[in-house]
């Protein structure tokens, strides 16, 4: 598409916005439920498309549609109650005789810009609460993976739904045009592009949500269940070939158990099947989606090795044997430290660096030594201790004895700190994110004038002054003192 095409798309959505917003929330829910059924009916087709675009293993290609179906069911239950006009309790004497209402009005057009690692899931996960809020939605998927999202958006039309969901395909110019024309922007992607989106949104004085990169840490305490911790670390680092903003990208293990942990992890990583499985469940880790990403992962591993780290499995030797396939071999690094880019910069690949610590405070300091703050994981047999440590981590979410668990808990918000973004997605109040609150105050028994209106005079001033002290004071002397 061209920038002019984007303008035409947004113009059409803006024309449809008033009628969609005017529908009772229950009617919007019914449309989303019909769309849920379409997604379920076409799930095999969408999975084939996802695998074709991304190279995901067949098992992972099936994960995105059920996630969106769950989101439709969850937010669909909440929408009618949350979007109902609410009567707000009056506060203070000045509100006597007045009714106070709170309305939620949707942004007319929401723009959603998403990356290539979860094309369908990340696009529709934000589109669902936005549509339920009453907004119209334009999705700009990555130019690397446009087809599955385009097919899913056509499904909205196929159920006969109002023309309030569109797709804008193209590169950076299309994304820029979308930011320049919508009323709210939700961006998921790199920190560098996120900054550009935020600057442009600020120039236009429109709000934006940014879900950016991560460098998630796992802390394994000496009392942890090492078998479960190792399984979690391997899946957390290698799922989707490590191409997740919430991938486990660095592990800090207590010195007393690190040797046992590394042995367990090395065996499990070494058993992973790599390649392209073509709908056969025969692969665990697929190829990286782009050659640029392959180069980034290779450079980080080589940087670590040049500074004294050691690859106990995987690494550049194995990578050289498989480079043409785009599969970077799942790699475990030991002897790492924070001078290495694999411990500082987002990897977005199947690399698991493991570093030792001696005391809890050291682990917390290491985990917090990052410009990112998306999520983290702690493994310990002592839940109370883990919770105390979790409160000291500078991240938006912490999983205890688990990995990615917060992503599947739609009732809790997902957001980051630092370079991991601004705002949140998911959470019980996700629908409100795409709405603007409107306060309506009505005087039920209007007089000709009010004490605070003109004309000013000594008597009115004294009365207003006395009322202010009676309302604000919390002891007799201050209420009565002149």
């Amino acid at each position: 598409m061209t920038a002019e095409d984007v303008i035409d798309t947004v113009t059409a959505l803006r024309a449809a916005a008033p009628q969609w917003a005017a529908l009772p929330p229950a009617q919007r829910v019914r449309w989303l439920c019909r769309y849920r059924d379409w997604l379920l009916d076409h799930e095999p087709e969408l999975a084939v498309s996802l695998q074709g675009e991304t190279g995901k293993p067949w098992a992972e290609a099936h994960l995105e549609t059920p996630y969106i179906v769950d989101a439709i069911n969850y937010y669909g239950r909440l929408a009618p109650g949350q979007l109902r006009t609410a009567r707000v309790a009056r506060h203070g004497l000045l509100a006597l005789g007045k009714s106070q209402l709170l309305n939620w009005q949707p942004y007319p057009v929401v723009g959603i810009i998403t990356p290539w690692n979860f094309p369908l899931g990340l696009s529709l996960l934000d589109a669902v609460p936005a549509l339920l809020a009453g907004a119209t939605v334009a999705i700009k998927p990555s130019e690397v993976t446009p087809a599955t999202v385009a097919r899913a958006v056509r499904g909205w039309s196929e159920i006969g739904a109002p023309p309030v969901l569109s797709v804008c395909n193209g590169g950076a110019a299309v994304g820029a045009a979308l930011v320049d024309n919508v009323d709210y922007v939700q961006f998921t992607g790199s920190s560098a592009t996120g900054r550009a989106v935020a600057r442009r949104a600020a120039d236009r004085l429109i709000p934006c949500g940014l879900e950016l990169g991560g460098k998630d840490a796992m802390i394994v305490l000496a009392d942890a269940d090492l078998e479960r911790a190792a399984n979690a670390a391997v899946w957390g680092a290698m799922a989707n070939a490590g191409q997740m903003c919430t991938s486990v990208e660095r592990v800090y293990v207590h010195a007393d158990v690190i040797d046992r942990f590394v042995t367990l992890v090395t065996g499990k990583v070494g058993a992973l099947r790599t390649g392209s499985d073509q709908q056969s469940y025969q692969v665990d880790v697929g190829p990286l989606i782009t050659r640029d990403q392959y180069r980034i992962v290779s450079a980080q591993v080589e940087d670590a090795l040049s500074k004294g780290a050691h690859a106990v499995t995987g690494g550049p030797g194995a990578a050289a044997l498989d480079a043409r396939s785009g599969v970077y071999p799942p790699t475990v690094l030991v002897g790492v430290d924070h001078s290495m880019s694999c411990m500082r910069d987002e990897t977005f690949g199947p690399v698991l660096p493991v570093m030792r610590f001696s005391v809890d405070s050291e682990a917390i300091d290491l985990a917090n030594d990052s410009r990112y703050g998306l999520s983290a994981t702690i493994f310990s047999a002592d839940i109370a201790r883990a919770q105390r440590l979790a409160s000291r981590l500078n991240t938006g979410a912490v999983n205890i004895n688990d990995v990615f668990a917060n992503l599947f808990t739609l009732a809790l918000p997902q957001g980051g700190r630092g370079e991991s973004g601004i705002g949140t997605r998911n959470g019980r109040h996700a629908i409100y994110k795409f709405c603007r609150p409107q306060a309506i105050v009505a005087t039920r028994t209007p007089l000709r004038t009010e004490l605070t209106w003109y004309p000013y005079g000594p008597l009115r001033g004294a009365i207003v002054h006395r009322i202010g002290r009676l309302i604000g004071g919390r002891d007799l002397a201050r209420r009565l003192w002149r």
Side-chain angles (χ1 to χ4, degrees), residues 77-327:
R77 289 195 301 271
L78 295 178
Q82 289 188 342
L83 296 174
R84 186 179 298 120
T85 297
R87 191 174 298 278
V88 180
R90 290 187 294 273
H91 165 71
L93 292 176
L94 294 178
L96 288 176
K98 302 183 189 301
S99 66
Q100 300 178 165
L101 301 178
L102 177 61
N103 278 340
W104 294 98
Q105 297 181 327
Y107 291 99
V109 186
V110 169
I112 296 174
I113 303 175
T114 54
W116 40 253
N117 56 334
F118 290 94
L120 186 64
L122 290 174
S123 295
L124 295 184
L125 186 60
D126 291 310
V128 167
L131 289 168
L132 288 169
T136 64
V137 175
I139 300 172
K140 202 295 260 189
S142 168
E143 59 272 29
V144 177
T145 54
T148 308
V149 176
R151 177 67 187 105
V153 171
R154 288 200 304 274
W156 179 261
S157 299
E158 288 173 13
I159 66 171
V164 295
L165 177 63
S166 298
V167 65
C168 295
N169 277 320
V174 169
L178 195 64
V179 175
D180 282 346
N181 288 279
V182 298
D183 306 298
Y184 184 103
V185 180
Q186 173 61 45
F187 172 82
T188 304
S190 72
S191 299
T193 306
R195 284 191 180 93
V197 170
R199 283 193 292 267
R200 187 55 188 149
D203 287 341
R204 295 191 57 224
L205 293 178
I206 64 168
C208 65
L210 306 176
E211 203 268 89
L212 308 178
K215 193 69 185 174
D216 285 12
M218 173 185 284
I219 297 173
V220 181
L221 303 182
D223 64 349
D225 179 339
L226 292 185
E227 183 71 25
R228 179 172 174 83
N231 283 325
V234 173
W235 189 54
M238 308 301 169
N240 202 40
Q243 298 169 120
M244 297 174 63
C245 55
T246 54
S247 290
V248 174
E249 293 212 354
R250 49 201 174 111
V251 184
Y252 304 101
V253 186
H254 193 275
D256 290 349
V257 296
I258 189 170
D259 291 341
R260 174 64 178 152
F261 179 84
V262 170
T263 298
L264 287 170
V265 163
T266 302
K268 296 176 189 301
V269 170
L272 294 175
R273 302 164 299 172
T274 62
S276 178
D277 63 2
Q278 297 300 313
Q279 308 164 36
S280 62
Y281 293 101
Q282 294 179 357
V283 163
D284 302 305
V285 179
L288 297 172
I289 295 181
T290 68
R291 292 181 180 180
D292 284 343
Q293 196 56 41
Y294 193 97
R295 284 192 286 268
I296 291 170
V297 174
S298 298
Q300 285 199 10
V301 172
E302 289 166 5
D303 170 77
L305 297 179
S306 72
K307 294 176 179 176
H310 175 61
V312 294
T313 187
L321 299 175
D322 207 13
R324 293 187 65 184
S325 70
V327 176

Side-chain angles (χ1 to χ4, degrees), residues 37-52 58 61-62 65-66 120 148 151 279 281:
D37 296 342
W38 184 93
L39 289 170
L40 288 170
D41 293 344
H42 291 78
E43 192 269 342
E45 174 191 352
L46 295 172
V48 170
S49 179
L50 274 172
Q51 186 178 53
W58 187 234
H62 280 279
T65 297
L120 186 64
T148 308
R151 177 67 187 105
Q279 308 164 36
Y281 293 101

